[in-house]
Amino acid sequence: AQTVTQSQPEMSVQEAETVTLSCTYDTSESDYYLFWYKQPPSRQMILVIRQEAYKQQNATENRFSVNFQKAAKSFSLKISDSQLGDAAMYFCAYPSSNTGKLIFGQGTTLQVKP
Amino acid sequence: DARVTQTPRHKVTEMGQEVTMRCQPILGHNTVFWYRQTMMQGLELLAYFRNRAPLDDSGMPKDRFSAEMPDATLATLKIQPSEPRDSAVYFCASGLLLGGYTFGSGTRLTVV
């Protein structure tokens, strides 16, 4: 069965510092995508970054980058120069290539301290 | 920017009443999801469609929930009869297979 696991229910970071959120997944598929979504207090789900499994290069979007380790089935999100607006719940998500079903991890609540 | 539109944004209803939530997916997106979010259970997949055909609704309580896509511009989620335990935020999302999925703003349902 395909699963996504986020083992850190809560994380905190000092403003301007760097934080890494962890995500592991399990799948037997060889080609797939992985996503990180951000959900601020407004509850809107916002796509932060996307990684294609067949690409060896880690995806980057401004201050957000991923560390994708395909063999280890690990997909962590690094936020550099953390800002107060980064405070939110972050979800790792995996869409099954076969079914299209979008599977979410449990979420990590990130607190940014001024 | 294209958006997924959900209505209503908020709904308060009495136990036993029918509730209908609507979603307008982004034009051209062929996959539509319904999720429910609660503090206790997190994000639960209720049902999803591809090209308007239901693919999986195993996450939905069949006796009271139903999901349909009468056309490509409308997806509906109905609860009849509603119960207090149905209180949650319900999200609709649309996208293309293996693309990034766009979420609506959600419907906050309170059943009293």
Side-chain angles (χ1 to χ4, degrees):
Chain A
Q2 293 143 345
T3 59
V4 177
T5 303
Q6 293 177 250
S7 58
Q8 306 154 317
E10 297 179 352
M11 293 280 286
S12 66
V13 63
Q14 206 70 35
E15 193 176 7
E17 297 294 311
T18 296
V19 65
T20 299
L21 308 183
S22 301
C23 172
T24 58
Y25 61 94
D26 189 20
T27 183
S28 58
E29 297 170 348
S30 57
D31 291 327
Y32 48 88
Y33 287 67
L34 291 160
F35 305 128
W36 278 99
Y37 280 89
K38 170 185 178 182
Q39 187 179 39
S42 67
R43 79 168 183 250
Q44 179 69 49
M45 293 285 282
I46 302 164
L47 180 63
V48 174
I49 200 165
R50 176 173 69 179
Q51 175 75 42
E52 299 168 50
Y54 63 87
K55 288 188 176 180
Q56 295 198 356
Q57 186 174 6
N58 289 325
T60 299
E61 288 287 342
N62 301 314
R63 297 182 295 106
F64 296 86
S65 61
V66 300
N67 183 7
F68 174 51
Q69 303 288 331
K70 189 173 183 180
K73 295 189 171 70
S74 170
F75 181 59
S76 59
L77 175 69
K78 186 172 81 171
I79 306 174
S80 304
D81 185 24
S82 298
Q83 300 175 359
L84 295 177
D86 295 333
M89 180 167 279
Y90 288 82
F91 291 94
C92 179
Y94 165 84
S96 167
S97 301
N98 294 328
T99 67
K101 189 173 181 177
L102 186 58
I103 303 164
F104 283 91
Q106 303 90 328
T108 297
T109 299
L110 177 66
Q111 182 185 24
V112 181
K113 298 177 180 177
Chain B
D1 287 343
R3 297 192 306 172
V4 174
T5 303
Q6 285 188 250
T7 56
R9 289 294 307 274
H10 304 272
K11 176 73 175 178
V12 180
T13 191
E14 292 185 348
M15 182 172 62
Q17 296 298 305
E18 177 178 301
V19 175
T20 299
M21 290 169 271
R22 293 178 172 80
C23 168
Q24 181 177 356
I26 292 173
L27 191 64
H29 283 184
N30 65 351
T31 307
V32 175
F33 297 89
W34 281 106
Y35 285 90
R36 175 170 65 183
Q37 186 177 33
T38 61
M39 290 291 291
M40 296 299 295
Q41 301 295 328
L43 275 165
E44 301 175 272
L45 177 63
L46 297 175
Y48 74 107
F49 299 79
R50 180 162 315 123
N51 298 322
R52 295 176 53 203
L55 287 190
D56 186 349
D57 61 1
S58 59
M60 227 166 43
K62 299 291 191 306
D63 56 338
R64 299 185 300 110
F65 284 60
S66 63
E68 296 179 345
M69 269 200 84
D71 61 61
T73 65
L74 178 65
T76 62
L77 180 66
K78 291 186 181 180
I79 308 174
Q80 169 63 27
S82 57
E83 296 180 1
R85 59 179 167 155
D86 301 329
S87 297
V89 179
Y90 290 81
F91 285 102
C92 174
S94 75
L96 298 170
L97 182 61
L98 302 185
Y101 294 101
T102 303
F103 280 74
S105 299
T107 294
R108 182 179 291 278
L109 174 66
T110 303
V111 183
V112 298

